[in-house]
């Protein structure tokens, strides 16, 4: 048995050697090795390289979330001549988006670019999902007093700055009634709790943006008396994102409605808004533009 086993081993060894001898007549063993493992010195070889590290790469451009108010089955305010607030808000937000993108300094997202309904909570969630740096909700509401006209800007607070703003917030917060039982408005108690969760840094950012809007509008767009106001607007409740609600004018006023129907006027509003956005980000540490 031992002799038989040794005989098999010798036969196997001889077959291997003969096979190698045959291969050597086709190509040297070194060439075979180079074929399987390309040398870094070979002209055709492509050595692996470590991924490049860009230590000084700038951060992404800030993202501005624009929120045209109302939409779909929720028309918002209806002007004296029948103009729907939802159409004015969408047209103005679209123009502002164009101007912001044209500057090359920002990324821009919109809660809606078509005429469809979005619940208030859904608008806030969109801004959070996009990790927006700034949230701007655009409106053109209506008041009982048709003589009141002019633009204004609002930030979140558990209490309203005045009775007119309280009524305005109540109307805006009731927009979810169009969504049925699943989108009913929040109680005042819940709104107060939510507003108390907003960080102090976010409050300062919102107030800074509101001040920038007033400053940019003052020389170009008519303003209400005391144009910077606050109330418990549900759509402004994000705890991490500075947020403002801009009333471009009131559809209940004949002159405001007529102006907002004009593309030239909406372009002026958007231009003032862009100036406000520029001023806001120019003083925000850690947020790069350009």
């Amino acid at each position: 048995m031992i002799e038989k086993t040794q005989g098999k081993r010798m036969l196997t060894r001889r077959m291997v050697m003969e096979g190698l001898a045959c291969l050597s007549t086709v190509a040297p063993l070194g060439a075979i090795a180079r074929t399987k493992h390309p040398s870094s010195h070979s002209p055709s070889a492509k050595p692996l390289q470590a991924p490049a590290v860009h230590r000084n790469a700038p951060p992404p451009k800030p993202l501005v979330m624009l929120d045209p108010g109302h939409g779909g089955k929720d028309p918002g305010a209806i002007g004296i001549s029948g103009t729907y607030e939802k159409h004015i808000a969408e047209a103005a937000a679209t123009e502002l988006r164009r101007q912001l993108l044209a500057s090359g300094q920002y990324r821009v997202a919109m809660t809606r670019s078509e005429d469809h309904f979005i619940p208030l909570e859904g608008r806030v969630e969109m801004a959070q999902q996009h990790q927006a740096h700034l949230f701007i909700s655009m409106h053109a509401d209506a008041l009982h007093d048709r003589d009141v006209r002019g633009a204004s800007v609002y930030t979140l607070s558990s209490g309203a700055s005045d009775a007119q703003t309280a009524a305005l917030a109540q109307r805006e917060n009731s927009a979810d009634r169009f969504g049925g039982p699943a989108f009913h408005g929040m109680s005042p108690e819940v709104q107060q709790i939510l507003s108390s969760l907003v960080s102090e840094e976010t409050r300062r950012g919102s107030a800074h943006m509101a001040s920038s809007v007033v400053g940019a509008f003052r020389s170009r767009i008519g303003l209400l008396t005391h144009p910077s106001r606050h109330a418990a607007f549900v759509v402004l409740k994000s705890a991490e994102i500075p947020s403002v609600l801009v009333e471009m004018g009131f559809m209940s006023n004949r002159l405001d409605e007529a102006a907002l129907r004009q593309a030239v006027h909406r372009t002026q509003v958007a231009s003032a808004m862009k100036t406000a956005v520029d001023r806001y980000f120019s003083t925000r540490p850690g947020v790069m533009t350009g």
Side-chain angles (χ1 to χ4, degrees):
M1 287 294 292
I2 295 175
E3 292 178 356
K4 189 174 182 180
T5 302
Q6 289 177 342
K8 287 183 177 180
R9 288 177 178 172
M10 291 178 66
L11 178 61
T12 302
R13 190 173 185 180
R14 187 167 60 252
M15 291 173 65
V16 171
M17 294 301 293
E18 290 175 353
L20 289 174
C22 292
L23 286 172
S24 65
T25 63
V26 178
L29 287 176
I32 296 173
R34 284 197 298 273
T35 302
K36 292 186 176 181
H37 304 286
S39 169
S40 60
H41 300 291
S42 172
S44 61
K46 293 183 179 179
L48 295 175
Q49 296 180 352
V53 177
H54 300 284
R55 299 183 185 279
N56 298 319
K61 298 173 183 177
L63 190 144
V64 180
M65 174 67 82
L66 302 181
D67 172 47
H70 309 281
K73 54 192 170 184
D74 174 15
I78 301 177
I80 294 175
S81 66
T83 309
Y84 284 3
E85 177 187 2
K86 65 177 183 178
H87 294 147
I88 294 297
E90 182 182 335
T94 300
E95 172 59 22
L96 176 54
R97 175 183 181 274
R98 185 192 68 78
Q99 293 190 26
L100 291 173
L101 290 177
S103 73
Q105 294 181 294
Y106 310 100
R107 294 173 293 145
V108 182
M110 293 178 66
T111 56
R112 68 178 184 89
S113 56
E114 297 177 348
D115 185 16
H116 59 265
F117 175 79
I118 302 174
L120 298 176
E121 288 293 315
R123 297 168 189 262
V124 178
E125 289 173 4
M126 284 184 190
Q128 293 170 336
Q129 289 170 359
H130 280 78
Q131 297 182 330
H133 295 84
L134 180 65
F135 180 87
I136 303 173
S137 191
M138 302 183 71
H139 294 258
D141 217 293
L143 298 172
H144 291 298
D145 186 348
R146 295 189 174 187
D147 291 331
V148 176
R149 65 172 306 205
S152 49
V153 59
Y154 302 82
T155 55
L156 179 69
S157 173
S158 57
S161 55
D162 54 85
Q164 180 178 292
T165 303
L168 184 65
Q170 185 176 15
R171 284 195 299 276
E172 290 295 343
N173 292 347
S174 69
D176 280 349
R177 70 188 183 277
F178 291 95
F183 301 120
H184 57 79
M186 284 181 270
S187 68
E189 293 79 10
V190 173
Q191 292 176 28
Q192 185 170 2
I193 293 172
L194 289 172
S195 64
S196 69
L197 295 176
V198 175
S199 69
E200 186 58 34
E201 181 180 358
T202 302
R203 291 181 190 277
R204 286 197 299 268
S206 300
H208 176 38
M209 180 58 190
S211 176
S212 297
V213 171
V214 171
F217 274 35
R218 194 174 296 282
S219 61
R220 288 181 267 184
I221 309 296
L223 290 166
L224 286 181
T225 305
H226 308 300
S228 185
R229 307 184 180 199
H230 55 265
F233 291 94
V234 172
V235 78
L236 302 181
K237 78 173 191 64
S238 174
E240 305 88 12
I241 306 170
S243 306
V244 296
L245 186 150
V246 177
E247 289 284 356
M248 298 174 286
F250 292 101
M251 303 299 285
S252 49
N253 179 272
R254 178 176 54 82
L255 296 176
D256 270 0
E257 182 200 21
L260 288 168
R261 286 173 57 91
Q262 302 299 316
V264 172
H265 180 75
R266 294 195 301 271
T267 299
Q268 291 175 342
V269 171
S271 178
M273 286 296 305
K274 180 189 173 296
T275 298
V277 172
D278 289 342
R279 290 178 181 175
Y280 171 80
F281 282 111
S282 68
T283 58
R284 295 295 290 172
V287 180
M288 300 292 292
T289 60

mmCIF file of all heavy atoms in Angstrom, residues 216-231:
data_model
loop_
_atom_site.group_PDB
_atom_site.id
_atom_site.type_symbol
_atom_site.label_atom_id
_atom_site.label_comp_id
_atom_site.label_asym_id
_atom_site.label_seq_id
_atom_site.Cartn_x
_atom_site.Cartn_y
_atom_site.Cartn_z
ATOM 1 N N ALA A 216 -36.006 96.175 4.451
ATOM 2 C CA ALA A 216 -35.963 96.086 2.990
ATOM 3 C C ALA A 216 -37.246 96.631 2.354
ATOM 4 O O ALA A 216 -37.212 97.196 1.258
ATOM 5 C CB ALA A 216 -35.736 94.639 2.561
ATOM 6 N N PHE A 217 -38.375 96.475 3.034
ATOM 7 C CA PHE A 217 -39.653 96.944 2.502
ATOM 8 C C PHE A 217 -39.832 98.453 2.649
ATOM 9 O O PHE A 217 -40.525 99.082 1.845
ATOM 10 C CB PHE A 217 -40.812 96.248 3.221
ATOM 11 C CG PHE A 217 -41.196 94.918 2.633
ATOM 12 C CD1 PHE A 217 -40.245 94.076 2.087
ATOM 13 C CD2 PHE A 217 -42.513 94.498 2.625
ATOM 14 C CE1 PHE A 217 -40.590 92.849 1.552
ATOM 15 C CE2 PHE A 217 -42.880 93.272 2.085
ATOM 16 C CZ PHE A 217 -41.914 92.448 1.547
ATOM 17 N N ARG A 218 -39.227 99.023 3.663
ATOM 18 C CA ARG A 218 -39.578 100.387 4.065
ATOM 19 C C ARG A 218 -39.465 101.403 2.927
ATOM 20 O O ARG A 218 -40.314 102.291 2.779
ATOM 21 C CB ARG A 218 -38.702 100.818 5.251
ATOM 22 C CG ARG A 218 -39.229 102.073 5.945
ATOM 23 C CD ARG A 218 -38.424 102.375 7.190
ATOM 24 N NE ARG A 218 -38.535 101.340 8.206
ATOM 25 C CZ ARG A 218 -39.576 101.188 9.029
ATOM 26 N NH1 ARG A 218 -40.607 101.999 8.922
ATOM 27 N NH2 ARG A 218 -39.574 100.235 9.943
ATOM 28 N N SER A 219 -38.448 101.298 2.106
ATOM 29 C CA SER A 219 -38.257 102.288 1.044
ATOM 30 C C SER A 219 -38.923 101.891 -0.272
ATOM 31 O O SER A 219 -38.928 102.678 -1.224
ATOM 32 C CB SER A 219 -36.750 102.495 0.803
ATOM 33 O OG SER A 219 -36.151 101.276 0.393
ATOM 34 N N ARG A 220 -39.497 100.672 -0.340
ATOM 35 C CA ARG A 220 -40.038 100.195 -1.617
ATOM 36 C C ARG A 220 -41.498 99.767 -1.560
ATOM 37 O O ARG A 220 -42.241 99.915 -2.525
ATOM 38 C CB ARG A 220 -39.198 99.006 -2.117
ATOM 39 C CG ARG A 220 -37.825 99.414 -2.599
ATOM 40 C CD ARG A 220 -37.050 98.204 -3.103
ATOM 41 N NE ARG A 220 -36.235 97.617 -2.059
ATOM 42 C CZ ARG A 220 -35.404 96.602 -2.250
ATOM 43 N NH1 ARG A 220 -35.309 96.051 -3.449
ATOM 44 N NH2 ARG A 220 -34.674 96.139 -1.252
ATOM 45 N N ILE A 221 -41.920 99.192 -0.426
ATOM 46 C CA ILE A 221 -43.270 98.645 -0.300
ATOM 47 C C ILE A 221 -43.947 99.296 0.898
ATOM 48 O O ILE A 221 -43.353 99.411 1.976
ATOM 49 C CB ILE A 221 -43.237 97.107 -0.093
ATOM 50 C CG1 ILE A 221 -42.372 96.438 -1.172
ATOM 51 C CG2 ILE A 221 -44.651 96.553 -0.082
ATOM 52 C CD1 ILE A 221 -42.895 96.575 -2.579
ATOM 53 N N GLY A 222 -45.188 99.709 0.738
ATOM 54 C CA GLY A 222 -45.913 100.315 1.850
ATOM 55 C C GLY A 222 -46.069 99.344 3.010
ATOM 56 O O GLY A 222 -46.314 98.155 2.808
ATOM 57 N N LEU A 223 -45.928 99.843 4.226
ATOM 58 C CA LEU A 223 -45.989 99.009 5.427
ATOM 59 C C LEU A 223 -47.126 99.439 6.347
ATOM 60 O O LEU A 223 -47.543 100.598 6.352
ATOM 61 C CB LEU A 223 -44.670 99.104 6.206
ATOM 62 C CG LEU A 223 -43.440 98.443 5.574
ATOM 63 C CD1 LEU A 223 -42.174 98.922 6.270
ATOM 64 C CD2 LEU A 223 -43.548 96.921 5.640
ATOM 65 N N LEU A 224 -47.596 98.485 7.134
ATOM 66 C CA LEU A 224 -48.533 98.809 8.210
ATOM 67 C C LEU A 224 -47.826 99.626 9.278
ATOM 68 O O LEU A 224 -46.592 99.623 9.371
ATOM 69 C CB LEU A 224 -49.047 97.526 8.872
ATOM 70 C CG LEU A 224 -50.060 96.643 8.153
ATOM 71 C CD1 LEU A 224 -50.414 95.459 9.046
ATOM 72 C CD2 LEU A 224 -51.316 97.420 7.810
ATOM 73 N N THR A 225 -48.595 100.284 10.107
ATOM 74 C CA THR A 225 -48.037 100.875 11.313
ATOM 75 C C THR A 225 -47.593 99.717 12.223
ATOM 76 O O THR A 225 -48.311 98.736 12.373
ATOM 77 C CB THR A 225 -49.088 101.725 12.040
ATOM 78 O OG1 THR A 225 -49.597 102.698 11.118
ATOM 79 C CG2 THR A 225 -48.481 102.428 13.245
ATOM 80 N N HIS A 226 -46.417 99.835 12.793
ATOM 81 C CA HIS A 226 -45.854 98.736 13.583
ATOM 82 C C HIS A 226 -45.892 97.435 12.755
ATOM 83 O O HIS A 226 -46.622 96.500 13.067
ATOM 84 C CB HIS A 226 -46.620 98.547 14.900
ATOM 85 C CG HIS A 226 -46.769 99.795 15.703
ATOM 86 N ND1 HIS A 226 -45.686 100.505 16.176
ATOM 87 C CD2 HIS A 226 -47.871 100.474 16.108
ATOM 88 C CE1 HIS A 226 -46.109 101.569 16.841
ATOM 89 N NE2 HIS A 226 -47.431 101.572 16.816
ATOM 90 N N PRO A 227 -45.102 97.370 11.708
ATOM 91 C CA PRO A 227 -45.210 96.244 10.766
ATOM 92 C C PRO A 227 -44.661 94.913 11.256
ATOM 93 O O PRO A 227 -44.994 93.872 10.701
ATOM 94 C CB PRO A 227 -44.406 96.735 9.559
ATOM 95 C CG PRO A 227 -43.415 97.687 10.137
ATOM 96 C CD PRO A 227 -44.121 98.371 11.258
ATOM 97 N N SER A 228 -43.836 94.924 12.296
ATOM 98 C CA SER A 228 -43.292 93.672 12.820
ATOM 99 C C SER A 228 -44.132 93.211 14.012
ATOM 100 O O SER A 228 -44.155 93.864 15.055
ATOM 101 C CB SER A 228 -41.832 93.864 13.250
ATOM 102 O OG SER A 228 -41.267 92.635 13.642
ATOM 103 N N ARG A 229 -44.831 92.102 13.853
ATOM 104 C CA ARG A 229 -45.783 91.641 14.861
ATOM 105 C C ARG A 229 -45.569 90.159 15.157
ATOM 106 O O ARG A 229 -44.763 89.504 14.496
ATOM 107 C CB ARG A 229 -47.216 91.907 14.383
ATOM 108 C CG ARG A 229 -47.441 93.369 13.959
ATOM 109 C CD ARG A 229 -48.861 93.668 13.574
ATOM 110 N NE ARG A 229 -49.023 95.068 13.179
ATOM 111 C CZ ARG A 229 -50.180 95.693 13.134
ATOM 112 N NH1 ARG A 229 -51.310 95.065 13.457
ATOM 113 N NH2 ARG A 229 -50.249 96.971 12.770
ATOM 114 N N HIS A 230 -46.306 89.646 16.136
ATOM 115 C CA HIS A 230 -46.136 88.234 16.483
ATOM 116 C C HIS A 230 -47.442 87.641 17.008
ATOM 117 O O HIS A 230 -48.295 88.355 17.546
ATOM 118 C CB HIS A 230 -45.032 88.046 17.527
ATOM 119 C CG HIS A 230 -45.243 88.863 18.774
ATOM 120 N ND1 HIS A 230 -44.664 90.093 18.965
ATOM 121 C CD2 HIS A 230 -45.979 88.620 19.893
ATOM 122 C CE1 HIS A 230 -45.022 90.575 20.141
ATOM 123 N NE2 HIS A 230 -45.829 89.701 20.727
ATOM 124 N N ALA A 231 -47.584 86.332 16.816
ATOM 125 C CA ALA A 231 -48.756 85.588 17.289
ATOM 126 C C ALA A 231 -48.450 84.100 17.171
ATOM 127 O O ALA A 231 -47.382 83.702 16.692
ATOM 128 C CB ALA A 231 -50.002 85.952 16.481
#
